[in-house]
Amino acid sequence: MARRLTPWRWVVLGLAALYFLVPLAASVIFTVDVPGQGVSFDAYTKILSADGFLSSLLLSLELAVATIAAVLLLMVPAVVALRLGAPRLRPVVEVVCSLPLVVPPIAFVAGIATVLKWGPEHLSQTPLFETFVVIQNQNFPVVLVLAYVVMALPFVYRALDAGLRAIDVRTLVEAARSCGASWPQALLQAVLPNLRGALLNASFLTLALVLGEFTVSHLLGYAPFAVWIYNVGGEQAQMSVAVSVLSLLVTWALLLALAGAGGGRNRTASSRG
């Protein structure tokens, strides 16, 4: 049976490679083929000097770091407490964390925009008015961080849940507590080191989400990296595609590095065992 399936595996792998590589190759050709000039790499060399490139990229990276920190601070204690103290609530939490996959982004951002418009009108005489103003700061829109945290919940929950399934959390916590560690110390020194792979997976998925998110940021009037690529595409199509290709290659490189690091740790642990 295995011998019969092997050729079909190669066929499926080849079709998948064509599906991903052919559009990528067409994009690369489009960026370097200049009509009347031949091959030119000006679309890539002009990226760093393009207006708004560095500012939009830095804004997206800052939003990504803030989102990763916020979602991990929210979800790591929650999933650990869920597994230790309330395992019956796991289906409820799983459904709640999966809701962002069900709600369309356009409906999600429409609700956010409605609340942001409603707040200043009804809360102008309260301290909450300043909060609504601060979270909409153009230099660092906290409202995008809050939106990205909600959007990242399904991916972060799945990554952390898979990591917790691979270890005996209760034994680790009980051992740490028996040695005199407090609950925060048990979480930081006993549980988190064993969740390193899951934390890296969750962080990478959140980073990819923030760098590629367009709908929420564009409709709320902000210009992170994905919106900048869209705006450049209307004026300089080749540069826009070149930036997209580089972003995709960098994302793949990060994914391969993460997979290699995780595989290296697993091989080391197996050899020690």
Side-chain angles (χ1 to χ4, degrees):
M1 181 65 67
R3 293 180 179 178
R4 293 177 183 177
L5 291 177
T6 299
W8 289 107
R9 292 178 181 177
W10 285 107
V11 171
V12 173
L13 182 61
L15 292 176
L18 290 175
Y19 180 80
F20 287 104
L21 295 179
V22 169
L24 181 61
S27 300
V28 173
I29 293 174
F30 174 76
T31 58
V32 300
D33 185 18
V34 180
Q37 299 181 10
V39 178
S40 175
F41 294 94
D42 290 342
Y44 293 93
T45 58
K46 295 179 179 179
I47 291 177
L48 294 178
S49 60
D51 185 25
F53 170 75
L54 290 178
S55 60
S56 62
L57 180 58
L58 290 176
L59 176 59
S60 291
L61 293 177
E62 291 172 358
L63 292 173
V65 171
T67 303
I68 291 171
V71 74
L72 290 182
L73 287 175
L74 174 66
M75 291 303 299
V76 171
V79 293
V80 173
L82 188 68
R83 183 165 291 272
L84 292 178
R88 294 184 179 180
L89 293 178
R90 183 174 174 273
V92 178
V93 176
E94 184 174 354
V95 170
V96 172
C97 291
S98 300
L99 285 178
L101 297 177
V102 180
V103 179
I106 189 67
F108 180 55
V109 70
I112 295 176
T114 301
V115 172
L116 293 178
K117 293 178 180 178
W118 169 83
E121 296 178 358
H122 295 78
L123 303 175
S124 58
Q125 303 299 325
T126 66
L128 288 178
F129 175 76
E130 294 296 332
T131 302
F132 274 81
V133 174
V134 170
I135 65 174
Q136 299 181 69
N137 187 354
Q138 289 288 337
N139 295 326
F140 186 78
V142 181
V143 64
L144 288 184
V145 176
L146 300 177
Y148 293 158
V149 167
V150 175
M151 297 173 66
L153 284 179
F155 312 106
V156 174
Y157 174 77
R158 292 294 182 182
L160 295 179
D161 184 64
L164 287 174
R165 287 175 178 270
I167 62 176
D168 191 350
V169 183
R170 188 176 299 275
T171 301
L172 289 174
V173 173
E174 290 178 354
R177 293 284 290 166
S178 64
C179 294
S182 61
W183 282 104
Q185 289 177 332
L187 179 62
L188 293 175
Q189 300 179 6
V191 178
L192 290 186
N194 292 279
L195 285 178
R196 186 178 303 172
L199 294 174
L200 288 175
N201 290 332
S203 300
F204 174 78
L205 292 173
T206 305
L207 174 65
L209 184 146
V210 174
L211 290 179
E213 197 285 321
F214 171 79
T215 305
V216 174
S217 55
H218 179 64
L219 294 181
L220 290 180
Y222 301 104
F225 192 54
V227 177
W228 178 83
I229 294 177
Y230 170 79
N231 293 333
V232 171
E235 302 174 358
Q236 305 178 47
Q238 282 188 321
M239 181 180 295
S240 175
V241 176
V243 173
S244 301
V245 171
L246 289 179
S247 301
L248 182 61
L249 293 178
V250 169
T251 303
W252 282 0
L254 290 174
L255 179 60
L256 292 175
L258 180 62
R265 285 194 297 269
N266 293 336
R267 287 191 296 270
T268 302
S270 300
S271 62
R272 290 179 179 176

